[in-house]
Amino acid sequence: METQAFQKIYTKITQVTKATCSLSAPGISYEELAVINGRLAQVVKINKDIVTLQVFSGTEGIPTNAEVIFMGKPPTLKVSDELSGRIFNAYGKPIDGMPDIQGEEREIGSPSVNPVRREQPSELIATGIAGIDLNNTIVTGQKIPFFADPDQPFNQVMAMVALRAQADRIILGGMGMTNDDFLFYKNVFENAGASDRIVSFINTTENPSVERLLVPEMTLAAAEYFAVDKNEKVLVLLTDMTLYADALSIVSNRMDQIPSKDSMPGSLYSDLAKIYEKAVQFPSGGSITIIAVTTLSGGDITHAIPDNTGYITEGQLFLRKDSDIGKVIVDPFRSLSRLKQLVIGKQTREDHPQVMNAAIRLFADATNAKTKLQNGFDLSDYDERTLNFAKDYSNDLLAIDVNIEIDEMLNTGWRLFNKYFSPEEVGIKKEFVDKYWTKEEE
Amino acid sequence: MAKNKLTTGKVQSIISNLLIVEADGPVSQNEICYINLSGVKLMAEVIKINGNNAYVQVFESTRGLKIGNSVEFTGHMLEVTLGPGILSKNFDGLQNDLDKMEGVFLKRGDYTNPLEDDKLWEFKPLAKAGDKVAAGDWIGEVKENWIHHKTMVPFKFTGSFTIKSIVSEGKYTINDTIAVLSNEKNEDIPVAMAQKWPVRIPIRNYKSKPRPFKLMETGVRTMDILNPIVEGGTGFIPGPFGSGKTVLQHALAKQAEADLIVVAACGERANEVVEIFKEYPELDDPRTGRKLMERTTIIANTSNMPVAAREASVYTAMTISEYYRAMGLKVLLLADSTSRWAQALREMSNRMEELPGPDAFPMDLSAIISSFYARAGYVYLNNGKTGSVTFIGTVSPAGGNLKEPVTESTKKAARCFYGLSQQRADSKRYPAIDPIDSYSKYLEYTEFKEYINKNFSSDWIENVLYTKNILLRGKEAYEQINILGDDGVPINYHLNFWKSEVIDFVILQQDAFDEVDASTPIERQKYMLKSIINICKNDYKFDSFEEVNPYFKKIINFYKQMNYSEFQSDKFNGFKKELNATIEERKIA
Ligand SMILES: Nc1ncnc2c1ncn2[C@@H]1O[C@H](COP(=O)(O)OP(=O)(O)OP(=O)(O)O)[C@@H](O)[C@H]1O
Ligand SMILES: [Mg+2]
């Protein structure tokens, strides 16, 4: 984004707000970039010859005679194989101390895939975590966030999933990430010998928050390069999308837009959908899978950010601490993978859907029993059994430290059914009961 | 709207996809115009006029536009092309044929022909020279897939006409003149198979629109039995994310007893549309044995496609539905999600700095929603035949809270309410339609009751109400048990609760992904309802409340196995026998 000699320099800013500067400049195109005293800005409004620029790093200290240079193009990223193993900031500039990369310059925020050109996502991504593989199976081309309170170990789980996922390429988009978390990711990937498969775009807590707004599109532009040009299986990690949305609301509030729920902009749904819908299975074999993090405040999923996210993504993985076993589990109630039915019982064993549902139903019965207990009532024999079942189920299957194959998860399910219940109480199709029930009896 | 010279203009202001264009001539509200961006033309619609300034919303990204870019107005509103060839197509919200677009990515300004100009159709006249006709009258037909697609006197024609000439049976393209009509002034007016219609205006060429009364079978038990939808009826499905709105709509699209299905994927996930593209061409329509895709048309304006076109997409879908209704067909229109449409309205209204209503939605949201739902309906056409558009939309309430403007406005407009409950979804009791809160106003229609008495049985409605009552009593019993404890209530409470559980597990819950259970034909539903009602009317002998739970679990299990088996198959009858034996164990004669 170097400035060039023939570019006109404007030095008369007529209006400055917290987020924007306006000046008179003819012939400017919408969404074009500009540099104001070295700070990057983007055209967000043009009225006759008055151009309004959103300054990514904020307008603090910008004088009315600041030098404004228009770049004649929207934000771009240079793409080539040289991206591999590199770390960039939100503007796509290297921050790993190594030189700029060479490559084709592409606009970020590219158009959508024609829906009729999409393939149906179909390749199972095994993570070893039963809370995911058994109950919320994910597939390539899917988009799914972790919903977790800030104190949950979502970065650890996400790094683990990324490494086990066997992706050709991992693109990490960090928004408002603490430096410690960034170093954590770096170390985990280095230790796994995966560094050169990884491209990172990082906005840390030390960078201005509005800069984050560029991170998802930069990340996805790189992902599209590898998935479309190289037919690779690309896994995109976006963390933390709540901080991204917060930046959106800062901008829209500073620009005096009418806020909707939770002071978020009315366009939040469309803004988030544009990012998440980049997840796709291409006909040529390449794919983009997006796993994101949306931090919650006090587990509240009705807040506009998780709420809109849930309406966009293909499910969500809800992490919570199970106090009965003292471990973090993937909550079977609030978690969901919408695309699981494309693979379960088809690419996995036939009894997968029924085992999954039956176990969750029994876990729900345990929750009811717990309520009874709390209300001071006697428990029936069935209640007692569901409570014991729930403990084992939580520990042997839901906990995030589980790492087993899917068949073993199913066998574990049958083992627990057998241990605590009769076939009628489990209510699974008879043909499966006939086939799998006695098998695990020792 | 005829004009001698088309108006042109220049872009004066750009905020996101809202432009102010200075026009050099007359402009009408909702007129379509094209913005010229170095050779690429971007479609836009006038949404407000102030002096020479037209406010237009662009149906595309406005990146790269400059002040002074030229604009051409077209003199017409947003229109769709109606004619043979619509069926089985995948359109975007503006009726561009998505399959005709080149490349994997959508390109700005890439507008494709919705129909095929050079395809020859086997045309058969239905009228003859000298016949008096008016707009909407059938004058010929072609075979489109399996339907008899009618060629109608264009809906835009006003007054009465005489057919001067009409072609004989043979092969014609959609733009060939197939008839010449003469109007009252004796002017000749050529008519082709294809015609255009502005999507925001309802097609009203029918004689009357009575209250709908015919049950429309959906194969979804909790709908057909408890809260039926009717041909030409309206309903909506609100529910928090992940509660099963889309799965339910897809079930309706696959199973409902309609001639045609129009699916408007409005601001939702692209992968959900892909499911339809990929699966429907392979799936059989159980009623006709044809492939499901043969009766399905998709309007896909997914969440990442332009927001303004998303808003238009529901109108495009409705207009296509009305067009086929005018041919005497039963059309089912499904829109997922109408909240995304309302949000598109909100984004634009905010950009225009209009006074916001609740939750920043436009003030007239309610009116917009009701006039849209009002376009559905069962109609008597001018030739005495009937046709219908049944409309079921989903609503995605913010935070799952039904006290929000879109849900509340829709509640006023739609006659059936299928509320999906988070609690049911969490415990995987699918479909998560809340049996207590949901309703179908049609159950109260005398017209509907008469129809049911005649075509089902005279005790059907009574049984439905009885079932609802058991569910309600079950819920009350459950609450009491929770307050007073298992042994703090009479055994009867447990019995009431478990009877309602039987109904829940056997009638309400239905596995949309099981080959057999997914769809229950009405005959089978009648059988099941009768059987369940018998169970509920029986008295049983229990010595303690602890015996109730395992006993009914067993009953439910047999019923579930029956639900998973082919109706009246050996397997089915085997389970039935075991079920009956179990019932006899405790039944008091
Ligand atoms: N009848 C059913 N049988 C089995 N599973 C179901 C059924 N209905 C819903 N589900 C499960 O619930 C999941 C979510 O359903 P669906 O995608 O229809 O939710 P939705 O209400 O449309 O959510 P959103 O508002 O986010 O689009 C499905 O992927 C499926 O796993
Ligand atoms: Mg949905």
Side-chain angles (χ1 to χ4, degrees):
Chain A
M1 298 181 192
E2 310 73 31
T3 57
Q4 282 152 35
F6 56 84
Q7 280 169 323
K8 185 161 185 224
I9 301 177
Y10 295 87
T11 53
K12 221 172 141 195
I13 294 178
T14 50
Q15 195 191 30
V16 184
T17 69
K18 272 187 188 161
T20 63
C21 293
S22 303
L23 68 157
S24 169
I28 301 304
S29 52
Y30 195 66
E31 291 188 0
E32 178 173 335
L33 287 181
V35 178
I36 306 179
N37 270 6
R39 296 186 209 182
L40 207 62
Q42 187 172 19
V43 175
V44 290
K45 182 174 165 182
I46 313 179
N47 193 1
K48 304 239 168 85
D49 60 354
I50 301 295
V51 176
T52 304
L53 290 160
Q54 170 187 306
V55 187
F56 288 106
S57 54
T59 54
E60 292 86 351
I62 287 190
T64 48
N65 64 350
E67 280 191 6
V68 183
I69 300 166
F70 288 92
M71 325 237 333
K73 62 182 183 196
T76 56
L77 175 71
K78 280 198 178 134
V79 293
S80 72
D81 282 350
E82 289 180 26
L83 285 167
S84 306
R86 300 294 306 274
I87 304 169
F88 304 90
N89 67 8
Y91 305 118
K93 286 269 159 205
I95 49 169
D96 51 7
M98 298 207 285
D100 280 359
I101 69 159
Q102 297 305 309
E104 190 190 323
E105 186 171 13
R106 291 195 184 161
E107 286 183 16
I108 65 166
S110 63
S112 313
V113 173
N114 183 341
V116 300
R117 300 283 176 261
R118 284 174 176 254
E119 283 299 314
Q120 202 161 21
S122 60
E123 206 178 314
L124 189 148
I125 297 180
T127 69
I129 302 171
I132 299 176
D133 297 2
L134 176 65
N135 289 344
N136 302 290
T137 329
I138 52 183
V139 294
T140 56
Q142 184 166 5
K143 46 193 179 290
I144 191 163
F146 281 99
F147 279 180
D149 277 341
D151 60 340
Q152 300 295 342
F154 49 82
N155 282 323
Q156 285 80 330
V157 182
M158 195 148 94
M160 197 150 78
V161 168
L163 286 174
R164 290 187 196 158
Q166 299 184 325
D168 298 324
R169 195 73 48 183
I170 299 170
I171 323 254
L172 172 65
M175 288 153 281
M177 206 181 233
T178 63
N179 205 44
D180 295 358
D181 282 341
F182 172 55
L183 292 176
F184 163 78
Y185 274 103
K186 219 175 133 197
N187 285 338
V188 172
F189 291 148
E190 264 166 23
N191 292 341
S195 293
D196 51 344
R197 279 197 288 145
I198 298 180
V199 188
S200 309
F201 295 85
I202 304 293
N203 155 276
T204 68
T205 39
E206 289 156 29
N207 306 125
S209 56
V210 177
E211 284 181 11
R212 278 171 214 162
L213 295 180
L214 291 168
V215 170
E217 287 187 345
M218 285 288 170
T219 308
L220 290 159
E224 262 174 8
Y225 165 74
F226 288 108
V228 177
D229 297 38
K230 304 280 158 183
N231 291 336
E232 289 187 351
K233 259 182 13 182
V234 181
L235 179 63
V236 171
L237 309 178
L238 295 173
T239 173
D240 170 353
M241 289 298 284
T242 297
L243 297 178
Y244 169 81
D246 283 341
L248 279 178
S249 80
I250 292 172
V251 170
S252 81
N253 290 350
R254 282 185 188 163
M255 296 194 18
D256 293 329
Q257 281 161 10
I258 310 157
S260 64
K261 202 172 166 268
D262 298 320
S263 50
M264 284 291 144
S267 60
L268 182 65
Y269 177 83
S270 305
D271 296 336
L272 292 176
K274 228 178 120 196
I275 294 169
Y276 284 114
E277 281 292 327
K278 286 280 180 192
V280 55
Q281 177 77 52
F282 289 106
S284 56
S287 63
I288 298 177
T289 309
I290 301 180
I291 302 185
V293 167
T294 300
T295 48
L296 309 176
S297 124
D300 179 13
I301 60 162
T302 62
H303 182 280
I305 300 172
D307 185 50
N308 279 282
T309 304
Y311 277 120
I312 293 162
T313 52
E314 281 141 353
Q316 66 279 338
L317 301 165
F318 198 98
L319 295 184
R320 82 169 158 88
K321 184 138 186 183
D322 184 344
S323 51
D324 288 342
I325 59 159
K327 286 183 184 176
V328 175
I329 62 166
V330 182
D331 187 321
F333 300 143
R334 307 325 294 272
S335 303
L336 177 70
S337 162
R338 320 281 182 107
L339 301 187
K340 61 174 185 263
Q341 37 274 352
L342 296 172
V343 291
I344 61 172
K346 295 174 185 155
Q347 286 173 36
T348 64
R349 218 166 71 188
E350 52 181 355
D351 54 326
H352 187 159
Q354 297 240 331
V355 171
M356 167 188 83
N357 282 330
I360 296 176
R361 215 161 29 226
L362 294 166
F363 196 64
D365 284 351
T367 311
N368 291 342
K370 226 176 269 173
T371 316
K372 261 192 190 174
L373 200 59
Q374 280 156 2
N375 294 347
F377 295 125
D378 293 343
L379 294 186
S380 68
D381 161 58
Y382 178 78
D383 293 333
E384 299 280 5
R385 286 184 285 129
T386 57
L387 286 178
N388 289 328
F389 165 81
K391 235 177 253 164
D392 280 3
Y393 176 59
S394 211
N395 191 64
D396 299 355
L397 288 171
L398 297 180
I400 54 166
D401 59 3
V402 169
N403 184 11
I404 50 178
E405 303 271 312
I406 296 182
D407 275 5
E408 204 185 326
M409 299 172 189
L410 295 171
N411 293 340
T412 306
W414 285 106
R415 178 170 56 79
L416 298 180
F417 294 157
N418 200 349
K419 189 167 165 194
Y420 296 108
F421 303 106
S422 67
E424 291 89 66
E425 286 170 327
V426 175
I428 289 183
K429 248 192 204 176
K430 189 161 174 298
E431 53 190 277
F432 296 146
V433 173
D434 290 347
K435 199 159 161 190
Y436 298 103
W437 188 268
T438 47
K439 225 170 145 181
E440 292 301 307
E441 248 170 347
E442 262 111 4
Chain B
M1 287 207 299
K3 288 179 209 163
N4 302 331
K5 175 188 154 289
L6 288 172
T7 302
T8 62
K10 294 227 176 304
V11 175
Q12 292 300 314
S13 154
I14 312 166
I15 315 171
S16 189
N17 72 329
L18 174 69
L19 310 183
I20 301 177
V21 175
E22 191 176 35
D24 68 0
V27 182
S28 359
Q29 176 73 342
N30 295 112
E31 183 170 349
I32 292 297
C33 61
Y34 288 92
I35 325 292
N36 197 332
L37 170 65
S38 26
V40 180
K41 288 183 174 180
L42 306 182
M43 194 172 176
E45 181 181 18
V46 176
I47 51 174
K48 177 176 152 181
I49 305 165
N50 189 359
N52 288 338
N53 286 336
Y55 290 66
V56 308
Q57 62 169 343
V58 187
F59 292 121
E60 308 267 6
S61 151
T62 51
R63 176 179 280 184
L65 278 186
K66 292 180 179 178
I67 301 306
N69 282 142
S70 64
V71 180
E72 293 161 37
F73 290 84
T74 60
H76 63 76
M77 295 201 273
L78 179 60
E79 291 182 326
V80 288
T81 308
L82 301 170
I86 291 176
L87 220 59
S88 311
K89 281 258 164 63
N90 306 314
F91 295 119
D92 73 1
L94 305 173
Q95 211 202 9
N96 294 295
D97 184 346
L98 288 167
D99 289 289
K100 290 197 187 106
M101 295 181 181
E102 272 173 38
V104 172
F105 292 92
L106 297 168
K107 282 187 282 295
R108 274 199 290 180
D110 186 7
Y111 304 120
T112 55
N113 191 347
L115 303 178
E116 280 68 48
D117 285 341
D118 46 7
K119 179 170 175 166
L120 288 169
W121 296 87
E122 198 72 52
F123 177 84
K124 208 169 93 195
L126 292 178
K128 53 183 190 314
D131 284 358
K132 292 253 183 277
V133 290
D137 285 356
W138 302 352
I139 55 173
E141 69 177 25
V142 299
K143 236 358 209 323
E144 179 185 16
N145 288 357
W146 53 277
I147 66 157
H148 296 278
H149 185 118
K150 306 289 188 259
T151 294
M152 293 171 268
V153 175
F155 303 127
K156 281 182 181 173
F157 286 18
T158 48
S160 66
F161 301 82
T162 311
I163 298 182
K164 192 167 167 197
S165 66
I166 185 160
V167 294
S168 50
E169 214 170 315
K171 291 188 160 139
Y172 304 90
T173 71
I174 53 167
N175 296 318
D176 287 340
T177 299
I178 48 102
V180 177
L181 311 186
S182 60
N183 63 9
E184 280 132 349
K185 291 187 218 143
N186 251 328
E187 292 161 328
D188 284 358
I189 303 162
V191 170
M193 282 188 250
Q195 59 165 311
K196 297 204 175 211
W197 183 257
V199 297
R200 296 192 192 275
I201 297 178
I203 297 175
R204 284 211 182 86
N205 303 87
Y206 46 77
K207 199 175 351 167
S208 63
K209 203 190 235 185
R211 301 214 312 172
F213 58 94
K214 269 190 190 167
L215 182 124
M216 177 154 149
E217 189 184 331
T218 67
V220 178
R221 297 187 289 262
T222 175
M223 288 178 73
D224 291 353
I225 294 179
L226 288 189
N227 293 305
I229 184 84
V230 293
E231 270 174 41
T234 52
F236 78 119
I237 310 170
F241 64 77
S243 55
K245 298 182 289 296
T246 307
V247 170
L248 183 57
Q249 276 214 337
H250 283 197
L252 298 177
K254 284 181 195 160
Q255 300 157 199
E257 184 204 2
D259 297 322
L260 288 187
I261 311 284
V262 179
V263 178
C266 171
E268 291 288 308
R269 304 172 186 84
N271 277 339
E272 288 169 351
V273 190
V274 176
E275 200 179 314
I276 307 181
F277 294 154
K278 298 283 172 191
E279 289 178 2
Y280 285 27
E282 309 295 325
L283 291 174
D284 292 325
D285 175 351
R287 273 183 206 84
T288 60
R290 281 182 287 264
K291 296 294 172 215
L292 274 178
M293 201 60 209
E294 290 183 51
R295 67 166 197 177
T296 312
T297 302
I298 299 165
I299 316 294
N301 219 101
T302 57
S303 58
N304 53 343
M305 291 163 82
V307 177
R310 182 203 296 171
E311 193 265 328
S313 70
V314 292
Y315 291 96
T316 299
M318 180 56 93
T319 308
I320 288 174
S321 306
E322 288 172 331
Y323 174 61
Y324 281 97
R325 171 173 71 187
M327 294 175 205
L329 294 170
K330 277 192 275 190
V331 186
L332 172 62
L333 171 59
L334 299 164
D336 189 12
S337 150
T338 59
S339 293
R340 306 303 162 217
W341 156 46
Q343 286 179 336
L345 292 170
R346 173 168 73 184
E347 282 184 34
M348 197 35 75
S349 151
N350 293 358
R351 236 162 254 147
M352 306 245 294
E353 297 178 359
E354 288 173 354
L355 196 65
D359 289 357
F361 281 105
M363 289 295 247
D364 54 350
L365 181 71
S366 228
I368 296 173
I369 290 177
S370 5
S371 34
F372 188 80
Y373 274 81
R375 289 175 71 167
Y378 184 88
V379 300
Y380 287 106
L381 301 172
N382 290 325
N383 60 10
K385 300 270 193 326
T386 63
S388 61
V389 172
T390 309
F391 175 57
I392 301 179
T394 66
V395 171
S396 318
N401 178 2
L402 299 189
K403 286 203 168 28
E404 57 90 44
V406 185
T407 314
E408 285 181 334
S409 306
T410 310
K411 208 163 184 177
K412 287 181 220 154
R415 309 255 80 195
C416 293
F417 170 78
Y418 303 107
L420 301 188
S421 119
Q422 180 77 63
Q423 222 181 340
R424 286 185 68 86
D426 284 349
S427 50
K428 314 284 172 208
R429 293 184 176 222
Y430 294 121
I433 299 177
D434 187 315
I436 312 272
D437 295 342
S438 302
Y439 59 78
S440 161
K441 292 269 185 223
Y442 300 114
L443 274 176
E444 297 158 18
Y445 282 29
T446 21
E447 296 90 333
F448 177 76
K449 289 184 189 162
E450 277 165 18
Y451 175 82
I452 289 292
N453 288 345
K454 204 167 129 217
N455 295 280
F456 277 53
S457 65
S458 52
D459 59 355
W460 179 261
I461 298 212
E462 191 185 310
N463 285 341
V464 168
L465 298 178
Y466 176 78
T467 311
K468 288 188 169 205
N469 191 33
I470 299 269
L471 286 167
L472 192 60
R473 283 200 305 179
K475 190 182 172 195
E476 286 162 4
Y478 181 73
E479 281 161 5
Q480 289 298 310
I481 295 170
N482 271 343
I483 297 170
L484 302 170
D486 281 333
D487 46 5
V489 296
I491 290 190
N492 216 9
Y493 280 53
H494 290 276
L495 213 58
N496 281 349
F497 169 62
W498 277 99
K499 282 177 178 175
S500 75
E501 285 287 274
V502 174
I503 295 174
D504 194 333
F505 276 91
V506 181
I507 303 283
L508 307 187
Q509 292 175 44
Q510 196 170 356
D511 186 348
F513 303 110
D514 182 84
E515 225 170 292
V516 177
D517 199 29
S519 176
T520 311
I522 208 79
E523 286 313 312
R524 183 171 177 160
Q525 294 193 37
K526 288 180 185 166
Y527 177 93
M528 294 303 286
L529 182 64
K530 209 161 149 196
S531 167
I532 291 280
I533 288 203
N534 280 336
I535 295 260
C536 293
K537 289 196 169 159
N538 286 340
D539 276 330
Y540 301 87
K541 189 182 153 351
F542 290 105
D543 293 326
S544 92
F545 75 85
E546 275 171 329
E547 293 168 358
V548 183
N549 169 326
Y551 179 72
F552 278 100
K553 280 241 163 94
K554 219 160 134 191
I555 288 184
I556 288 172
N557 186 45
F558 287 130
Y559 266 125
K560 280 186 76 171
Q561 305 295 346
M562 284 164 75
N563 276 347
Y564 285 131
S565 315
E566 289 293 345
F567 191 38
Q568 305 293 25
S569 63
D570 290 348
K571 231 166 108 192
F572 181 94
N573 289 325
F575 291 125
K576 192 174 98 186
K577 231 168 115 190
E578 289 187 77
L579 170 72
N580 288 339
T582 309
I583 295 172
E584 291 308 320
E585 283 170 21
R586 288 186 181 271
K587 194 173 125 181
I588 303 170

